[in-house]
Amino acid sequence: FGFSNTDQIIKTIYSQSGKQFISDTYQLIIDREEIIISVLKNHQDDVVVLEIETEIQNPLSMKFTTTADFSLNKNPNIAKLDFDKLSFPLRLRKWQNGDKFKPLGMRNFKKVSDFFIDEKYSLLDKQKQWILCSKDAIIWIVGNRIDDRYKIDSNTKKVYIAELL
């Protein structure tokens, strides 16, 4: 894998969870009880999602539709949102330090980094995580949790569905 600092990696294995090492083409992460080696990928740009019904394939395979179906959803790969609370175009991006949102069911804001700790995300999981935003507000940690401010409620007239395929 091209890591030149193997002595340091061995010393770190039992002492420093979250430590990462990078070679020219790979990254190695010491994560609790595991060693994760993954291919380094080029930075992926943000993706703009227009109001119209659409489907995207890159960086994630997702479908965006509207519906009058107000039923609650327990599938983490489907976000049902109040269409009238959204500002288009939406933006799909990676999470950033300082990001915060109101997880569904909570009254207060929570830092996304703290949410990741609570959900036991590895460093690699954090790097892979995509966020769907309306203006600068997070509306969905894709595949996990929507923001409480954008949930459907008794005043919702139209439902916007973002689905991870």
Side-chain angles (χ1 to χ4, degrees):
F1 298 103
F3 295 102
S4 59
N5 45 356
T6 52
D7 289 340
Q8 188 178 3
I9 292 170
I10 291 168
K11 288 178 188 174
T12 308
I13 287 175
Y14 299 106
S15 64
Q16 205 171 354
S17 182
K19 181 76 172 166
Q20 73 176 328
F21 299 90
I22 299 187
S23 73
D24 290 339
T25 52
Y26 292 91
Q27 95 178 328
L28 180 146
I29 300 169
I30 310 234
D31 182 54
R32 297 179 190 93
E33 304 289 320
E34 299 176 330
I35 297 172
I36 302 167
I37 299 175
S38 61
V39 176
L40 281 175
K41 295 189 176 160
N42 294 336
H43 175 70
Q44 175 69 45
D45 292 330
D46 295 357
V47 174
V48 173
V49 179
L50 303 174
E51 181 176 337
I52 57 174
E53 296 189 9
T54 189
E55 193 168 315
I56 62 172
Q57 297 300 322
N58 194 18
L60 299 171
S61 182
M62 295 182 71
K63 181 170 70 170
F64 301 90
T65 57
T66 56
T67 184
D69 177 9
F70 293 86
S71 64
L72 294 178
N73 166 52
K74 298 218 182 232
N75 184 341
N77 291 327
I78 298 174
K80 285 189 169 183
L81 307 161
D82 187 323
F83 182 85
D84 294 327
K85 294 176 184 175
L86 302 173
S87 296
F88 290 89
L90 302 181
R91 189 166 52 106
L92 188 63
R93 65 168 175 81
K94 292 290 190 162
W95 80 281
Q96 302 163 354
N97 273 338
D99 276 349
K100 61 183 180 170
F101 78 123
K102 284 187 180 180
L104 182 63
M106 291 185 65
R107 294 181 190 187
N108 297 321
F109 280 96
K110 184 171 201 147
K111 286 184 179 179
V112 172
S113 59
D114 290 340
F115 178 78
F116 288 161
I117 291 169
D118 293 347
E119 295 292 312
K120 299 198 181 338
Y121 272 47
S122 70
L123 184 58
L124 187 60
D125 293 335
K126 293 175 191 177
Q127 291 171 350
K128 289 180 178 178
Q129 184 62 60
W130 287 92
I131 306 286
L132 187 63
C133 299
S134 174
K135 291 192 177 178
D136 290 329
I138 293 173
I139 59 176
W140 186 30
I141 296 181
V142 177
N144 198 317
R145 188 85 50 93
I146 67 167
D147 186 296
D148 195 75
R149 297 169 293 173
Y150 297 91
K151 69 183 178 188
I152 57 176
D153 57 29
S154 59
N155 297 320
T156 301
K157 295 178 179 89
K158 187 176 182 181
V159 176
Y160 187 77
I161 298 175
E163 181 177 4
L164 184 59
L165 300 174

